[in-house]
């Protein structure tokens, strides 16, 4: 609980809701007849509407990126370290927009919302979203907010994929694109991890083929397992070693099958905590959106050709110990952009945190983003 | 303006595409952008330099040049530049070949190990030379391949590389008649403009 709101915080924030009655055609071939998007904004849109930055969230993220919802909040938004007055994404200067993606479980229309056709929750019948569907819905929100052109679209991990998609689908609507700890598509190993997570959820007896809300229950155990697995892939070997080593929970081996090591206790805690707050169908949907993301597929698998449509400047950043989307994966994007002769800068940041590093205010990372956002104002060079 | 950058700038055509290997803080590319509307990228290994490039709007890609340049297409740039770094690479001859595979032309600058002070240092003192242009002790120098202007020109000859222009200067990047007469003895830094 923040007894005082820190001076560099955006402070108390109220989420907003935008309702759309225009149907949204989806990549799957289905259509979302109407929907609502929940979002937050920080800072002030300037007179010529040129200072707006869109933040795209990752798999388990949401619209609450900075500040507090109430004085009782234990923690601020998920990227509070980087968004606020005087911070990297300086809200004294920029107007920041952060949206909960469709299919999410934090207020935007998703599997827990009521399907107007049936009067019951969508559940597993909510259409599977593709990254391009999210981007389309975000563009409609931009229209609604009067933002013709983003100063930059920024995202880490799955958020980075949305930023990349933006540059392909709406090339004229952004000056800069920051793609952080992402990949141009998932590898077999990435998909494999997602599949294990999905199976963990689907095999929970409380899953009921996704209709668990009709049974007034939730597949908590399965979602917990999925999160535990995911969490391991977000951390590096060295980060886990540093954090837990082989420390024992009770100082001694128990010779039973309960928790012995601190790392087990930590994962269980994280998993349980997550399964209390997150919807299993949303988790399934998000992992599918990840698996399906492959913008080059529409261009004979030629990513360079695909990205040659872009008109913005790119910043690509990776982290040395990230093995979920390793630096090599970011370099695939960079290579394609060079081949397409698009302006791009790339840095592999030396950081011990693994994939999660993108959330931390690592000094050179902070300087990099700050420098990039600033350079977009002066025009910079192609 | 750094005098060596001024020399390099003269050899780069307006609006051309440039790749700067070991671009440092991006001074050269910023200069070429502002004065010659040049586009392209710098490759750099140092994080601080990369952040500075990004801050000034110079496109820079994090890269250890010793890991090769395979992913750059043949003849995809007009000019590939390497300023004061060739002596720091593990395979300088390979780098020069790669520069002319990727670019139609290349500009290379490097310190002359054949300068008379260097020769005298090693010849008389019997120790590895330390000077203003080569300021490191042998065990900590990033310069791992020492060569002279003549060595470089022999390499170019052997590999069928044409020298379009050459400028030899002293440490203040000034040229005079003595240097022009005995470049390999009196020149400290050379700038070569080469092509196939």
């Amino acid at each position: 609980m923040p007894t005082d709101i820190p001076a560099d915080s955006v402070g108390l924030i109220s989420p907003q809701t935008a309702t759309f009655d225009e149907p949204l055609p989806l990549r799957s071939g289905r259509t979302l007849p109407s929907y609502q998007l929940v979002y937050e904004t920080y800072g002030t849109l300037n007179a010529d509407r040129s200072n707006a930055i869109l933040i795209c969230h990752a798999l388990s993220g949401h619209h609450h990126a900075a500040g507090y919802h109430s004085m009782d909040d234990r923690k601020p938004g998920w990227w509070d370290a980087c968004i606020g007055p005087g911070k990297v994404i300086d809200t004294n200067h920029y107007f920041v927009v952060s949206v909960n993606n469709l299919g999410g479980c934090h207020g935007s229309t998703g599997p827990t919302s009521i399907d107007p056709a049936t009067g019951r929750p969508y559940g597993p019948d909510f259409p599977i979203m593709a990254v391009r569907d999210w981007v389309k819905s975000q563009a409609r929100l931009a229209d609604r907010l009067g933002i013709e052109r983003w100063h930059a679209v920024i995202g880490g991990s799955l958020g980075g994929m949305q930023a990349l998609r933006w540059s392909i689908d709406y090339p004229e609507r952004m000056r800069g694109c920051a793609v952080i700890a992402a990949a141009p598509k998932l590898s077999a190993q990435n998909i494999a991890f997602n599949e294990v997570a999905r199976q963990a959820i689907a095999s929970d007896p409380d899953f009921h083929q996704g209709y668990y809300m009709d049974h007034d229950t939730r597949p908590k155990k399965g979602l917990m397992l999925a999160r535990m697995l995911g969490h391991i892939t977000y951390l590096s070997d060295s980060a886990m070693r540093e954090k837990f080593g082989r420390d024992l929970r009770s100082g001694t081996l128990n010779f039973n099958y309960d928790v012995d090591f601190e790392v087990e206790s930590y994962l269980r805690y994280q998993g349980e905590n997550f399964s209390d707050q997150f919807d299993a169908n949303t988790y399934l949907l998000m992992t599918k959106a990840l698996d399906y993301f492959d913008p080059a597929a529409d261009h004979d698998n030629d990513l360079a050709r695909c990205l040659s449509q872009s008109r913005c400047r790119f910043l690509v950043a990776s982290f040395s110990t990230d093995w979920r989307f390793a630096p090599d994966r970011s370099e695939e994007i960079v290579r394609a952009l060079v081949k397409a002769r698009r302006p791009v800068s790339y840095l592999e940041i030396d950081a011990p945190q693994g994939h999660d590093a993108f959330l931390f205010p690592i000094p050179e990372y902070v300087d990099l983003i700050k420098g990039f956002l600033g350079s977009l104002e002066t025009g910079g060079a192609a | 303006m750094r005098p060596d950058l001024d020399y390099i700038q003269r050899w780069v055509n307006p609006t051309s595409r440039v790749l700067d290997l070991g671009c440092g803080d991006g001074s050269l590319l910023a200069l070429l952008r502002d004065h010659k509307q040049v586009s392209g990228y710098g490759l750099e290994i140092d994080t601080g330099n990369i952040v500075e490039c990004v801050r000034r709007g110079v496109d820079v890609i994090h890269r250890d040049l010793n890991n090769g340049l395979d992913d750059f297409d043949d003849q995809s740039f007009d000019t590939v530049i390497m300023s004061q770094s060739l002596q720091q690479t593990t395979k300088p001859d390979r780098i020069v070949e790669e520069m002319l595979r990727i670019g139609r032309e290349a500009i290379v600058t490097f310190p002359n190990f054949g300068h008379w002070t260097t020769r005298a240092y090693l010849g008389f003192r019997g120790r590895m030379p330390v000077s203003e242009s080569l300021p490191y002790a042998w065990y900590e120098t990033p310069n791992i391949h020492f060569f002279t202007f003549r060595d470089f020109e022999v390499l170019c000859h052997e590999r069928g590389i044409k020298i379009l222009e050459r400028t030899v200067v002293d440490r203040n990047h000034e040229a005079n008649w003595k240097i022009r007469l005995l470049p390999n003895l009196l020149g400290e830094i050379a700038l070569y403009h080469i092509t196939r």
Side-chain angles (χ1 to χ4, degrees), chain A residues 313 339 342 345-346 348 381, chain B residues 33 41 57 59-60 62 73:
Chain A
R313 291 186 63 217
K339 222 173 257 288
R342 305 314 309 154
S345 285
Y346 169 66
E348 175 188 322
Chain B
R33 168 193 69 199
Y41 312 93
D59 287 315
V60 62
H62 193 184
D73 289 342

Side-chain angles (χ1 to χ4, degrees), chain A residues 101-125:
Chain A
N101 285 342
L102 286 172
C105 50
H106 292 88
S108 291
T109 304
T112 55
S113 310
I114 300 296
D115 180 352
T118 63
R120 289 179 19 223
Y122 277 105
D125 296 328

Side-chain angles (χ1 to χ4, degrees), chain A residues 7-8 82-93 370:
Chain A
D8 63 354
C82 292
I83 303 169
K87 291 182 184 170
V88 196
I89 302 171
D90 187 349
T91 50
N92 288 330
H93 197 71
K370 204 183 189 95

Side-chain angles (χ1 to χ4, degrees), chain A residues 165-230:
Chain A
R165 189 82 233 179
W166 259 97
S167 76
I168 299 162
D169 289 356
Y170 299 98
E172 311 294 343
R173 296 195 69 171
M174 57 207 287
R175 267 185 290 278
C177 178
V179 182
I180 302 158
K185 61 184 171 198
L186 263 58
S187 67
Q189 188 194 47
N190 295 146
I191 295 170
F193 275 114
N194 282 345
E195 173 56 9
V196 176
R198 285 189 292 265
Q199 286 303 317
I201 292 169
S203 54
D204 185 317
D206 287 331
F207 182 62
H208 299 287
Q209 278 77 49
Y211 295 102
Y212 44 85
M213 285 175 83
D214 293 342
H215 292 79
D216 213 16
T217 178
R218 288 150 44 80
K220 275 198 61 174
K221 202 78 192 167
L223 188 54
M224 172 183 160
L225 285 177
R227 180 59 172 182
M228 286 169 78
L229 176 73

Side-chain angles (χ1 to χ4, degrees), chain A residues 313-315 334-335 337-339 341-348 364 367-368 371-372 375 380-382, chain B residues 17 33 38-41 47 50-51 54-63 71-73 75-77:
Chain A
R313 291 186 63 217
F314 288 87
L315 177 69
V334 175
R335 268 197 298 279
L337 286 166
V338 168
K339 222 173 257 288
R341 306 194 167 193
R342 305 314 309 154
V344 56
S345 285
Y346 169 66
L347 177 62
E348 175 188 322
E364 50 266 48
D367 291 346
L368 185 76
F372 179 66
S375 75
Chain B
R17 269 173 59 80
R33 168 193 69 199
V38 155
S39 63
Y41 312 93
T47 299
I50 292 168
V51 169
V54 168
R55 198 193 58 75
R56 68 203 315 175
V58 165
D59 287 315
V60 62
I61 294 165
H62 193 184
R63 177 66 70 96
D71 49 336
F72 287 91
D73 289 342
Q75 303 292 292
S76 53
F77 288 84

Side-chain angles (χ1 to χ4, degrees), chain B:
Chain B
M1 184 192 305
R2 253 170 60 194
D4 57 330
L5 301 190
D6 189 34
Y7 279 106
I8 294 171
Q9 166 176 231
R10 293 178 206 169
W11 291 341
V12 175
N13 290 323
T15 71
S16 57
R17 269 173 59 80
V18 168
L19 186 66
D20 186 1
L21 309 182
C23 67
D25 64 7
S27 313
L28 175 63
L29 284 170
L31 181 81
L32 292 172
R33 168 193 69 199
D34 296 343
H35 291 252
K36 299 226 166 171
Q37 293 74 51
V38 155
S39 63
Y41 312 93
L43 304 187
E44 177 56 40
I45 193 168
D46 178 76
T47 299
N49 277 336
I50 292 168
V51 169
E52 180 54 22
C53 286
V54 168
R55 198 193 58 75
R56 68 203 315 175
V58 165
D59 287 315
V60 62
I61 294 165
H62 193 184
R63 177 66 70 96
D64 181 347
L65 298 176
N66 291 326
N67 292 342
L69 300 164
D70 294 352
D71 49 336
F72 287 91
D73 289 342
D74 292 1
Q75 303 292 292
S76 53
F77 288 84
D78 296 306
T79 306
V80 181
I81 301 171
M82 189 169 211
S83 173
Q84 302 283 354
S85 310
L86 192 59
Q87 73 283 357
Q88 300 178 356
T89 60
T90 53
K91 294 202 170 88
D93 62 327
R94 179 89 193 109
I95 292 265
V96 172
E97 299 264 10
E98 280 290 87
M99 289 173 79
L100 289 174
R101 175 185 66 76
I102 298 163
R104 290 188 300 106
E105 295 176 358
I107 297 169
V108 183
T109 86
F110 56 87
N112 180 25
F113 205 66
H115 189 257
W116 71 271
T117 54
T118 322
R119 298 191 199 195
Y121 205 108
L122 184 59
F124 291 113
R125 294 207 205 176
R127 296 192 55 191
M128 287 305 281
V130 177
S131 68
E132 225 170 283
S133 55
L134 296 165
Y136 304 97
W138 63 274
Y139 46 82
E140 61 180 11
T141 180
N143 305 317
I144 53 176
H145 283 106
F146 287 116
F147 55 107
T148 71
F149 299 169
R150 198 163 291 156
D151 287 327
F152 184 74
E153 290 183 13
V154 168
L155 176 74
C156 288
H157 179 74
E158 285 173 2
R159 305 286 169 96
I161 294 167
K162 272 199 291 271
I163 296 170
L164 296 170
E165 284 159 288
R166 181 188 76 174
T167 297
V168 174
V169 294
D170 63 17
R171 74 176 65 118
N172 300 317
H173 294 93
E174 280 161 19
N176 57 43
W177 65 272
K178 283 176 280 188
I179 290 179
R180 279 190 278 276
L181 196 64
L182 292 167
N184 201 37
L185 198 60
L186 300 178
E188 283 177 272
I189 295 166
L191 301 91
Y192 283 89
H193 188 191
I194 57 179
T195 190
R196 277 274 177 213

